[in-house]
Amino acid sequence: MLIPIASGSDVAAVLTDLFVVLLAAKIGDEICRRIGQPGLIGEIVAGALIGPSVLGLVEPGEVLQVFAEVGVVFLLFWVGLETRIGDLRSVGKPAALAGMLGVIFPFAAGLGLGFAIGENTASSVFIASALVATSVGITSAVLMQLGVLDTKASRTILGAAIVDDILARLLLAFATGLSTSKLDVVGLLVTAGLAVAFLTFFALGGTRAMRARPELLHLPKVPDSALLLAVIGCLGLAALANAIGLAAIIGAFLAGLIFSESKDHYPLELEIKPLYSFLSPFFFAVIGMSVDLGSFTDGDTLALLGVTVLLAAATKFAGAWIGALSLGRNEAAFVGLGMIPRGEVGIVVAGIGRSAGVIGDELFAVIVGMSIVTTLITPPLLRRASRRIAVGGDGLEPPTLSV
Amino acid sequence: MLIPIASGSDVAAVLTDLFVVLLAAKIGDEICRRIGQPGLIGEIVAGALIGPSVLGLVEPGEVLQVFAEVGVVFLLFWVGLETRIGDLRSVGKPAALAGMLGVIFPFAAGLGLGFAIGENTASSVFIASALVATSVGITSAVLMQLGVLDTKASRTILGAAIVDDILARLLLAFATGLSTSKLDVVGLLVTAGLAVAFLTFFALGGTRAMRARPELLHLPKVPDSALLLAVIGCLGLAALANAIGLAAIIGAFLAGLIFSESKDHYPLELEIKPLYSFLSPFFFAVIGMSVDLGSFTDGDTLALLGVTVLLAAATKFAGAWIGALSLGRNEAAFVGLGMIPRGEVGIVVAGIGRSAGVIGDELFAVIVGMSIVTTLITPPLLRRASRRIAVGGDGLEPPTLSV
């Protein structure tokens, strides 16, 4: 009863990996919650401990990475299910402003940092791009765990993260073009246009269609077909978003927004919950596995890491805070903090830069370190800031927490 | 927001594969149910259509195979959750007898077939081994869809499938040893002993411990921790079973048996359902993808396929039927039919034989074809036979159906 082609030992190895990662993540989760911190910090630290850098129990191979990606896709799908399109539109302006300023400030700071440490233009633009992109996956998970998804500030963060992602993608394409001397301005404009068209079409048309005909979400003869059609829609929009140059999780979030219009008909949230409960720990653990603690043994690298973290956090906070000030000072501070985690995104950008030959080993380690440090410092700060924001904007119960 | 290391296009490709497989499987499911047949037939046929043999939309690569394996692991976990250890023990004798005779008859027939078509001893033993093993994954799914898991006949099938798996593994190890001239009798005995010890320890000790202390299934601070601990236990026992030479799904079934003792405390079945609803279609579709229709263009191969299917079905039916006769004739017929599908198991054995150089391309195609044909013909027969067996042995509601 093995699977075809793969030998028995391959299958056993993968099942063992899944077992070890999930067990370690849940132990980390429990420990963190006992000391009053969001559980995902424990899952990331657990990943670092079992990963190649410390114990070497598990390698983050292709299968674990796909589990991680599908995990964060279901996480954002669930967040989308908890969100109504109207709620997002009501924070459109501060979200757009926070997204834009939260990109411009870190980009400028990254450029300055690159030049200050003596890198050339192509490398400096890459460093700047790596400082830009927010990990909406991390922030969403923290907002869920705090039970504050249903607030203006949280919705502003979600909206800003979409703007952030589009701009960050364009900057990354620009940086890659610079580094290979194949800068394609028309291509960049097409990508930007496609992204906006994709978002507009599905966010407006998709939600309207679902509101009008929720019964479409149902195959007459197949039990659980509402769940499966929703999952199929989620995977389809995630793949499509990725294909046109956006993050897969933006597509998953859009799918969630669309299916949230059928909420009164199908208990999708209850059924999606086990899927992300099972899969999202892989997302956090795989982030932790990317860290290479061995790179931070000399003082210079540590100092550079410290400066980079400070710049990344301060400029992102400042940009998003100014952009969201119209919501009030406490809300703006919450939005600013919420945009700080770079999570997996910084790690990916650093990897692309290294493959392109414009980011050396030290800078790579520093950017990965910055991504993980910003991810670990934010949740406790967000938790404190969440006590000062207005909760329950539309009178709904705050969602139960469970990543 | 891509995953680390893998490039954006890799992720998009995997998400697209998952999307295509799930969509095709659910269309096949719906069509089959509309014509009154179990949905998994449609999922297998859909896999064959989108696979390399016909449309070539999707290759069954490592990620899909792991999804398939985890899917069947959760399926058997759920079946275990629906079963109490006492119910299994009450059918111990007919199950053991059906398992043993259902192995001996096909093995003898396979040996005879091998010699009749002029193969040498090593190859003939391999053909015989490939004819032996039942796919309890397929049968379990059909029993679930028919809503007859809660019957003596179904429990006999589950028990017989465990006996079948142990014997089939030993025969496969024997066949592999013959083909490489490294037959290790002591190793075989150790494997057999380990398998029996593993089953006894967890089936008896595990269920007793869980009955005594169900509250262990709970991390105080982590929401959904009962689900996650159950999933961790399921993956752990699946990996352990595989490591000692049993099928991973036997470990998953054992885990289900153990956690079913905590049923009154946690709604595990409801939470596991979305997991297998999402993942098990990959199991059926990947089986379909293994077929190579191009191999069956000449009459001789087709004839050999026909003979092999007949032998495989008739001998398995006869063995299991005789073994289960003490349950009554209708029940015995149901058990005999339930053991016929070879599913993924025959495919794996054929693959091992081909790698070992004792199975040629034609025989490989024939054994894979036999595995798939026995899998496709059985569900309709089981459906008819299910109308003549006693349902609801212990007064519980039959479980709702949903693969």
Side-chain angles (χ1 to χ4, degrees):
Chain A
M1 317 203 178
L2 308 172
I3 53 170
I5 305 169
S7 77
S9 58
D10 287 348
V11 177
V14 171
L15 288 175
T16 308
D17 281 359
L18 298 179
F19 167 72
V20 170
V21 172
L22 211 52
L23 181 64
K26 281 303 125 185
I27 293 174
D29 187 358
E30 173 78 12
I31 292 174
C32 260
R33 285 176 195 260
R34 285 195 183 199
I35 57 175
Q37 297 303 328
L40 67 94
I41 295 181
E43 304 190 51
I44 295 172
V45 172
L49 287 178
I50 61 173
S53 179
V54 184
L55 296 175
L57 295 177
V58 179
E59 284 284 331
E62 192 194 358
V63 170
L64 280 184
Q65 290 184 18
V66 170
F67 270 69
E69 176 73 7
V70 178
V72 69
V73 157
F74 284 143
L75 188 119
L76 266 286
F77 184 51
W78 194 88
V79 171
L81 282 174
E82 286 289 335
T83 312
R84 290 285 174 118
I85 180 75
D87 301 332
L88 269 192
R89 290 170 80 170
S90 71
V91 294
K93 269 190 196 158
L97 213 54
M100 279 189 282
L101 294 178
V103 162
I104 294 170
F105 286 20
F107 191 80
L111 265 187
L113 176 67
F115 290 132
I117 60 174
E119 299 284 336
N120 63 20
T121 309
S123 298
S124 300
V125 170
F126 238 105
I127 299 171
S129 302
L131 253 60
V132 159
T134 287
S135 168
V136 66
I138 296 289
T139 298
S140 298
V142 181
L143 298 177
M144 280 168 69
Q145 292 190 3
L146 297 177
V148 294
L149 265 183
D150 178 32
T151 60
K152 275 206 162 183
S154 294
R155 289 182 195 127
T156 306
I157 292 175
L158 293 175
I162 294 175
V163 175
D164 184 299
D165 187 67
I166 298 176
L167 297 177
R169 295 282 165 149
L170 293 175
L171 288 174
L172 179 60
F174 173 71
T176 314
L178 264 191
S179 73
T180 55
S181 313
K182 282 187 221 142
L183 190 55
D184 173 7
V185 179
V186 177
L188 282 181
L189 290 176
V190 170
T191 301
L194 266 180
V196 171
F198 172 79
L199 288 171
T200 315
F201 180 77
F202 285 103
L204 302 184
T207 50
R208 194 166 301 166
M210 185 57 64
R211 201 154 48 230
R213 304 284 303 277
E215 73 278 7
L216 287 180
L217 191 57
H218 180 57
L219 290 172
K221 295 280 182 184
V222 180
D224 299 335
S225 64
L227 168 68
L228 283 165
L229 288 186
V231 166
I232 289 168
C234 166
L235 292 173
L237 280 191
L240 189 57
N242 211 322
I244 65 166
L246 282 171
I249 59 176
I250 299 270
F253 176 70
L254 265 187
L257 275 184
I258 294 173
F259 290 115
S260 84
E261 299 293 333
S262 74
K263 244 186 205 175
D264 308 334
H265 301 262
Y266 304 104
L268 285 178
E269 292 148 279
L270 288 179
E271 298 183 316
I272 296 295
K273 214 168 152 178
L275 292 178
Y276 77 65
S277 291
F278 168 50
L279 289 163
S280 67
F282 295 98
F283 171 66
F284 302 111
V286 166
I287 290 180
M289 285 180 205
S290 323
V291 80
D292 179 11
L293 292 174
S295 315
F296 298 105
T297 43
D298 78 294
D300 283 3
T301 313
L302 263 181
L304 184 56
L305 174 65
V307 171
T308 312
V309 168
L310 265 181
L311 273 181
T315 54
K316 180 65 90 175
F317 178 84
W321 185 76
I322 294 173
L325 257 183
S326 64
L327 298 174
R329 298 173 75 92
N330 287 337
E331 263 72 8
F334 189 78
V335 172
L337 288 172
M339 300 294 287
I340 288 176
R342 301 307 197 278
E344 78 287 11
V345 193
I347 299 172
V348 171
V349 176
I352 296 173
R354 188 163 64 169
S355 314
V358 291
I359 299 266
D361 283 347
E362 190 198 5
L363 261 182
F364 175 79
V366 165
I367 295 174
V368 171
M370 175 279 291
S371 303
I372 293 181
V373 174
T374 52
T375 302
L376 293 178
I377 57 174
T378 307
L381 299 174
L382 265 180
R383 198 170 60 98
R384 294 179 58 142
S386 71
R387 296 182 198 131
R388 287 192 297 273
I389 62 168
V391 182
D394 54 7
L396 292 171
E397 279 284 285
T400 49
L401 346 166
S402 62
V403 174
Chain B
M1 315 200 181
L2 309 171
I3 53 171
I5 305 170
S7 77
S9 58
D10 287 347
V11 177
V14 172
L15 289 174
T16 307
D17 281 359
L18 298 179
F19 167 72
V20 170
V21 172
L22 210 52
L23 180 64
K26 281 303 125 185
I27 293 173
D29 187 358
E30 173 79 13
I31 292 174
C32 261
R33 285 174 196 260
R34 284 196 181 198
I35 57 175
Q37 297 303 328
L40 67 94
I41 296 181
E43 303 190 51
I44 295 172
V45 172
L49 287 178
I50 61 173
S53 180
V54 184
L55 296 175
L57 295 178
V58 179
E59 284 284 332
E62 191 194 0
V63 170
L64 280 184
Q65 291 184 17
V66 170
F67 270 69
E69 177 72 8
V70 179
V72 70
V73 158
F74 283 143
L75 189 118
L76 266 287
F77 185 51
W78 194 87
V79 171
L81 282 173
E82 286 289 334
T83 312
R84 291 285 174 117
I85 180 75
D87 302 332
L88 270 191
R89 291 169 82 170
S90 71
V91 294
K93 269 191 195 159
L97 213 54
M100 279 189 282
L101 293 178
V103 163
I104 294 170
F105 286 20
F107 190 80
L111 265 188
L113 176 67
F115 290 132
I117 59 174
E119 300 284 338
N120 63 20
T121 309
S123 298
S124 300
V125 170
F126 237 105
I127 299 172
S129 302
L131 253 61
V132 158
T134 287
S135 168
V136 66
I138 296 290
T139 299
S140 298
V142 181
L143 299 177
M144 279 169 69
Q145 291 190 4
L146 297 175
V148 294
L149 264 182
D150 178 32
T151 60
K152 275 207 162 182
S154 293
R155 288 183 195 125
T156 306
I157 292 176
L158 293 175
I162 294 175
V163 175
D164 184 299
D165 187 67
I166 298 176
L167 297 177
R169 295 281 166 151
L170 293 175
L171 287 174
L172 179 60
F174 173 71
T176 313
L178 264 191
S179 73
T180 55
S181 313
K182 282 187 221 141
L183 191 54
D184 173 6
V185 178
V186 177
L188 282 181
L189 291 176
V190 170
T191 302
L194 266 181
V196 172
F198 172 79
L199 288 171
T200 316
F201 179 75
F202 284 104
L204 302 185
T207 50
R208 193 164 303 166
M210 185 57 64
R211 201 156 46 230
R213 304 284 303 276
E215 73 278 8
L216 287 180
L217 191 56
H218 181 56
L219 290 173
K221 296 280 182 184
V222 180
D224 299 334
S225 64
L227 168 68
L228 283 165
L229 288 186
V231 166
I232 289 169
C234 166
L235 292 173
L237 280 192
L240 189 58
N242 211 321
I244 65 165
L246 282 170
I249 58 176
I250 299 269
F253 176 70
L254 265 187
L257 276 183
I258 294 173
F259 290 116
S260 84
E261 300 293 335
S262 73
K263 244 185 203 174
D264 308 333
H265 300 262
Y266 304 102
L268 285 177
E269 291 149 280
L270 289 179
E271 298 183 316
I272 296 296
K273 214 167 152 179
L275 291 178
Y276 77 65
S277 291
F278 168 51
L279 288 163
S280 68
F282 295 98
F283 171 66
F284 302 112
V286 166
I287 290 180
M289 285 180 205
S290 324
V291 80
D292 179 11
L293 293 174
S295 315
F296 298 104
T297 43
D298 79 296
D300 284 2
T301 312
L302 264 181
L304 183 56
L305 174 64
V307 171
T308 312
V309 168
L310 266 180
L311 273 182
T315 53
K316 180 66 90 175
F317 178 85
W321 184 76
I322 294 172
L325 257 182
S326 63
L327 298 174
R329 297 173 75 91
N330 287 336
E331 263 70 9
F334 189 79
V335 173
L337 288 172
M339 301 294 287
I340 289 176
R342 301 306 198 279
E344 77 287 10
V345 194
I347 299 172
V348 171
V349 176
I352 295 174
R354 188 164 65 169
S355 312
V358 292
I359 298 266
D361 283 348
E362 189 197 6
L363 261 181
F364 175 78
V366 165
I367 295 175
V368 172
M370 175 280 289
S371 304
I372 292 181
V373 174
T374 53
T375 302
L376 293 178
I377 59 174
T378 307
L381 298 173
L382 265 181
R383 198 170 60 99
R384 294 178 60 141
S386 71
R387 295 182 198 130
R388 288 192 297 273
I389 62 168
V391 181
D394 54 9
L396 292 171
E397 278 284 287
T400 49
L401 348 166
S402 62
V403 174

mmCIF file of all heavy atoms in Angstrom, chain B residues 254-279:
data_model
loop_
_atom_site.group_PDB
_atom_site.id
_atom_site.type_symbol
_atom_site.label_atom_id
_atom_site.label_comp_id
_atom_site.label_asym_id
_atom_site.label_seq_id
_atom_site.Cartn_x
_atom_site.Cartn_y
_atom_site.Cartn_z
ATOM 1 N N LEU B 254 -4.643 2.015 12.621
ATOM 2 C CA LEU B 254 -4.420 1.764 14.051
ATOM 3 C C LEU B 254 -4.589 3.052 14.854
ATOM 4 O O LEU B 254 -5.223 3.051 15.919
ATOM 5 C CB LEU B 254 -2.992 1.274 14.264
ATOM 6 C CG LEU B 254 -2.723 -0.208 14.323
ATOM 7 C CD1 LEU B 254 -1.282 -0.440 14.719
ATOM 8 C CD2 LEU B 254 -3.650 -0.864 15.347
ATOM 9 N N ALA B 255 -4.009 4.142 14.354
ATOM 10 C CA ALA B 255 -4.141 5.429 15.052
ATOM 11 C C ALA B 255 -5.608 5.803 15.172
ATOM 12 O O ALA B 255 -6.063 6.273 16.223
ATOM 13 C CB ALA B 255 -3.357 6.516 14.312
ATOM 14 N N GLY B 256 -6.366 5.564 14.098
ATOM 15 C CA GLY B 256 -7.798 5.850 14.145
ATOM 16 C C GLY B 256 -8.499 5.017 15.200
ATOM 17 O O GLY B 256 -9.324 5.527 15.975
ATOM 18 N N LEU B 257 -8.160 3.727 15.262
ATOM 19 C CA LEU B 257 -8.733 2.845 16.285
ATOM 20 C C LEU B 257 -8.470 3.395 17.682
ATOM 21 O O LEU B 257 -9.349 3.402 18.547
ATOM 22 C CB LEU B 257 -8.086 1.461 16.205
ATOM 23 C CG LEU B 257 -8.610 0.446 15.214
ATOM 24 C CD1 LEU B 257 -7.841 -0.859 15.387
ATOM 25 C CD2 LEU B 257 -10.096 0.206 15.441
ATOM 26 N N ILE B 258 -7.220 3.850 17.892
ATOM 27 C CA ILE B 258 -6.853 4.361 19.219
ATOM 28 C C ILE B 258 -7.655 5.620 19.541
ATOM 29 O O ILE B 258 -8.278 5.727 20.594
ATOM 30 C CB ILE B 258 -5.339 4.646 19.274
ATOM 31 C CG1 ILE B 258 -4.559 3.334 19.151
ATOM 32 C CG2 ILE B 258 -4.977 5.400 20.551
ATOM 33 C CD1 ILE B 258 -3.054 3.510 19.019
ATOM 34 N N PHE B 259 -7.668 6.580 18.599
ATOM 35 C CA PHE B 259 -8.339 7.846 18.889
ATOM 36 C C PHE B 259 -9.855 7.696 18.899
ATOM 37 O O PHE B 259 -10.543 8.557 19.443
ATOM 38 C CB PHE B 259 -7.896 8.937 17.906
ATOM 39 C CG PHE B 259 -6.477 9.363 18.120
ATOM 40 C CD1 PHE B 259 -5.511 9.166 17.151
ATOM 41 C CD2 PHE B 259 -6.093 9.957 19.319
ATOM 42 C CE1 PHE B 259 -4.200 9.549 17.354
ATOM 43 C CE2 PHE B 259 -4.783 10.345 19.532
ATOM 44 C CZ PHE B 259 -3.825 10.139 18.555
ATOM 45 N N SER B 260 -10.380 6.622 18.314
ATOM 46 C CA SER B 260 -11.839 6.465 18.356
ATOM 47 C C SER B 260 -12.299 6.225 19.791
ATOM 48 O O SER B 260 -13.466 6.416 20.108
ATOM 49 C CB SER B 260 -12.297 5.340 17.427
ATOM 50 O OG SER B 260 -12.206 4.088 18.056
ATOM 51 N N GLU B 261 -11.362 5.841 20.664
ATOM 52 C CA GLU B 261 -11.715 5.661 22.079
ATOM 53 C C GLU B 261 -11.924 7.000 22.790
ATOM 54 O O GLU B 261 -12.427 7.041 23.906
ATOM 55 C CB GLU B 261 -10.632 4.855 22.805
ATOM 56 C CG GLU B 261 -10.397 3.467 22.238
ATOM 57 C CD GLU B 261 -11.593 2.542 22.459
ATOM 58 O OE1 GLU B 261 -12.354 2.781 23.407
ATOM 59 O OE2 GLU B 261 -11.769 1.595 21.661
ATOM 60 N N SER B 262 -11.488 8.108 22.162
ATOM 61 C CA SER B 262 -11.690 9.424 22.780
ATOM 62 C C SER B 262 -12.870 10.155 22.149
ATOM 63 O O SER B 262 -13.086 11.333 22.385
ATOM 64 C CB SER B 262 -10.439 10.283 22.596
ATOM 65 O OG SER B 262 -10.336 10.695 21.257
ATOM 66 N N LYS B 263 -13.630 9.402 21.331
ATOM 67 C CA LYS B 263 -14.725 9.971 20.557
ATOM 68 C C LYS B 263 -15.691 10.836 21.352
ATOM 69 O O LYS B 263 -16.170 11.860 20.880
ATOM 70 C CB LYS B 263 -15.536 8.829 19.969
ATOM 71 C CG LYS B 263 -15.512 8.767 18.487
ATOM 72 C CD LYS B 263 -16.468 7.667 18.076
ATOM 73 C CE LYS B 263 -16.115 7.149 16.709
ATOM 74 N NZ LYS B 263 -16.916 5.996 16.348
ATOM 75 N N ASP B 264 -16.000 10.371 22.549
ATOM 76 C CA ASP B 264 -17.007 11.093 23.312
ATOM 77 C C ASP B 264 -16.500 12.452 23.752
ATOM 78 O O ASP B 264 -17.267 13.303 24.182
ATOM 79 C CB ASP B 264 -17.416 10.268 24.541
ATOM 80 C CG ASP B 264 -17.795 8.854 24.139
ATOM 81 O OD1 ASP B 264 -18.228 8.687 22.985
ATOM 82 O OD2 ASP B 264 -17.635 7.934 24.961
ATOM 83 N N HIS B 265 -15.190 12.671 23.644
ATOM 84 C CA HIS B 265 -14.613 13.911 24.158
ATOM 85 C C HIS B 265 -14.319 14.936 23.068
ATOM 86 O O HIS B 265 -14.379 16.126 23.300
ATOM 87 C CB HIS B 265 -13.330 13.600 24.920
ATOM 88 C CG HIS B 265 -13.539 12.688 26.071
ATOM 89 N ND1 HIS B 265 -13.672 13.146 27.355
ATOM 90 C CD2 HIS B 265 -13.707 11.349 26.129
ATOM 91 C CE1 HIS B 265 -13.877 12.122 28.160
ATOM 92 N NE2 HIS B 265 -13.904 11.018 27.453
ATOM 93 N N TYR B 266 -13.947 14.470 21.883
ATOM 94 C CA TYR B 266 -13.543 15.408 20.831
ATOM 95 C C TYR B 266 -14.216 15.047 19.511
ATOM 96 O O TYR B 266 -14.306 13.887 19.157
ATOM 97 C CB TYR B 266 -12.019 15.382 20.652
ATOM 98 C CG TYR B 266 -11.274 15.665 21.920
ATOM 99 C CD1 TYR B 266 -10.692 14.633 22.635
ATOM 100 C CD2 TYR B 266 -11.189 16.960 22.414
ATOM 101 C CE1 TYR B 266 -10.023 14.883 23.820
ATOM 102 C CE2 TYR B 266 -10.522 17.217 23.595
ATOM 103 C CZ TYR B 266 -9.947 16.184 24.300
ATOM 104 O OH TYR B 266 -9.306 16.432 25.466
ATOM 105 N N PRO B 267 -14.662 16.048 18.762
ATOM 106 C CA PRO B 267 -15.330 15.778 17.484
ATOM 107 C C PRO B 267 -14.309 15.552 16.365
ATOM 108 O O PRO B 267 -14.333 16.214 15.341
ATOM 109 C CB PRO B 267 -16.136 17.055 17.253
ATOM 110 C CG PRO B 267 -15.288 18.124 17.878
ATOM 111 C CD PRO B 267 -14.585 17.479 19.047
ATOM 112 N N LEU B 268 -13.398 14.588 16.584
ATOM 113 C CA LEU B 268 -12.307 14.406 15.627
ATOM 114 C C LEU B 268 -12.806 14.077 14.223
ATOM 115 O O LEU B 268 -12.245 14.542 13.240
ATOM 116 C CB LEU B 268 -11.391 13.270 16.094
ATOM 117 C CG LEU B 268 -10.463 13.607 17.259
ATOM 118 C CD1 LEU B 268 -9.681 12.373 17.653
ATOM 119 C CD2 LEU B 268 -9.530 14.737 16.864
ATOM 120 N N GLU B 269 -13.866 13.253 14.140
ATOM 121 C CA GLU B 269 -14.301 12.826 12.806
ATOM 122 C C GLU B 269 -14.696 14.016 11.943
ATOM 123 O O GLU B 269 -14.381 14.074 10.767
ATOM 124 C CB GLU B 269 -15.490 11.883 12.925
ATOM 125 C CG GLU B 269 -15.132 10.557 13.533
ATOM 126 C CD GLU B 269 -16.301 10.020 14.301
ATOM 127 O OE1 GLU B 269 -16.491 10.489 15.445
ATOM 128 O OE2 GLU B 269 -17.030 9.186 13.761
ATOM 129 N N LEU B 270 -15.398 14.986 12.554
ATOM 130 C CA LEU B 270 -15.822 16.163 11.800
ATOM 131 C C LEU B 270 -14.628 16.942 11.294
ATOM 132 O O LEU B 270 -14.674 17.552 10.230
ATOM 133 C CB LEU B 270 -16.674 17.072 12.689
ATOM 134 C CG LEU B 270 -18.057 16.555 13.026
ATOM 135 C CD1 LEU B 270 -18.767 17.538 13.931
ATOM 136 C CD2 LEU B 270 -18.840 16.347 11.730
ATOM 137 N N GLU B 271 -13.553 16.958 12.083
ATOM 138 C CA GLU B 271 -12.398 17.770 11.704
ATOM 139 C C GLU B 271 -11.483 17.037 10.727
ATOM 140 O O GLU B 271 -10.786 17.669 9.932
ATOM 141 C CB GLU B 271 -11.622 18.179 12.952
ATOM 142 C CG GLU B 271 -12.459 19.031 13.893
ATOM 143 C CD GLU B 271 -11.676 19.491 15.091
ATOM 144 O OE1 GLU B 271 -10.936 18.677 15.685
ATOM 145 O OE2 GLU B 271 -11.782 20.673 15.450
ATOM 146 N N ILE B 272 -11.461 15.702 10.802
ATOM 147 C CA ILE B 272 -10.625 14.936 9.867
ATOM 148 C C ILE B 272 -11.278 14.904 8.480
ATOM 149 O O ILE B 272 -10.600 14.811 7.459
ATOM 150 C CB ILE B 272 -10.425 13.490 10.392
ATOM 151 C CG1 ILE B 272 -9.650 13.490 11.712
ATOM 152 C CG2 ILE B 272 -9.705 12.613 9.375
ATOM 153 C CD1 ILE B 272 -8.248 14.003 11.598
ATOM 154 N N LYS B 273 -12.599 15.021 8.450
ATOM 155 C CA LYS B 273 -13.318 14.920 7.190
ATOM 156 C C LYS B 273 -12.830 15.912 6.124
ATOM 157 O O LYS B 273 -12.569 15.506 4.991
ATOM 158 C CB LYS B 273 -14.812 15.133 7.467
ATOM 159 C CG LYS B 273 -15.716 14.342 6.588
ATOM 160 C CD LYS B 273 -17.117 14.393 7.151
ATOM 161 C CE LYS B 273 -18.125 14.244 6.051
ATOM 162 N NZ LYS B 273 -19.495 14.265 6.567
ATOM 163 N N PRO B 274 -12.702 17.221 6.448
ATOM 164 C CA PRO B 274 -12.186 18.121 5.406
ATOM 165 C C PRO B 274 -10.786 17.725 4.930
ATOM 166 O O PRO B 274 -10.457 17.909 3.759
ATOM 167 C CB PRO B 274 -12.138 19.486 6.115
ATOM 168 C CG PRO B 274 -13.146 19.385 7.202
ATOM 169 C CD PRO B 274 -13.112 17.957 7.655
ATOM 170 N N LEU B 275 -9.978 17.155 5.828
ATOM 171 C CA LEU B 275 -8.628 16.771 5.428
ATOM 172 C C LEU B 275 -8.670 15.661 4.382
ATOM 173 O O LEU B 275 -7.964 15.718 3.380
ATOM 174 C CB LEU B 275 -7.811 16.319 6.649
ATOM 175 C CG LEU B 275 -7.461 17.419 7.655
ATOM 176 C CD1 LEU B 275 -6.707 16.835 8.843
ATOM 177 C CD2 LEU B 275 -6.612 18.496 6.989
ATOM 178 N N TYR B 276 -9.502 14.617 4.618
ATOM 179 C CA TYR B 276 -9.494 13.577 3.579
ATOM 180 C C TYR B 276 -10.345 13.969 2.384
ATOM 181 O O TYR B 276 -10.081 13.538 1.270
ATOM 182 C CB TYR B 276 -9.834 12.177 4.115
ATOM 183 C CG TYR B 276 -11.275 11.898 4.393
ATOM 184 C CD1 TYR B 276 -12.212 11.861 3.377
ATOM 185 C CD2 TYR B 276 -11.698 11.648 5.673
ATOM 186 C CE1 TYR B 276 -13.531 11.611 3.635
ATOM 187 C CE2 TYR B 276 -13.015 11.388 5.946
ATOM 188 C CZ TYR B 276 -13.931 11.377 4.919
ATOM 189 O OH TYR B 276 -15.249 11.127 5.185
ATOM 190 N N SER B 277 -11.354 14.823 2.593
ATOM 191 C CA SER B 277 -12.109 15.308 1.428
ATOM 192 C C SER B 277 -11.183 16.033 0.462
ATOM 193 O O SER B 277 -11.289 15.885 -0.753
ATOM 194 C CB SER B 277 -13.204 16.288 1.850
ATOM 195 O OG SER B 277 -14.211 15.629 2.554
ATOM 196 N N PHE B 278 -10.266 16.823 1.009
ATOM 197 C CA PHE B 278 -9.336 17.578 0.176
ATOM 198 C C PHE B 278 -8.253 16.675 -0.417
ATOM 199 O O PHE B 278 -7.905 16.781 -1.592
ATOM 200 C CB PHE B 278 -8.703 18.696 1.018
ATOM 201 C CG PHE B 278 -7.513 19.374 0.384
ATOM 202 C CD1 PHE B 278 -7.567 19.869 -0.915
ATOM 203 C CD2 PHE B 278 -6.334 19.536 1.096
ATOM 204 C CE1 PHE B 278 -6.466 20.502 -1.497
ATOM 205 C CE2 PHE B 278 -5.233 20.166 0.527
ATOM 206 C CZ PHE B 278 -5.301 20.633 -0.774
ATOM 207 N N LEU B 279 -7.706 15.758 0.399
ATOM 208 C CA LEU B 279 -6.501 15.036 -0.025
ATOM 209 C C LEU B 279 -6.775 13.717 -0.749
ATOM 210 O O LEU B 279 -6.010 13.326 -1.622
ATOM 211 C CB LEU B 279 -5.593 14.794 1.188
ATOM 212 C CG LEU B 279 -4.900 16.059 1.715
ATOM 213 C CD1 LEU B 279 -4.370 15.830 3.119
ATOM 214 C CD2 LEU B 279 -3.778 16.488 0.794
#
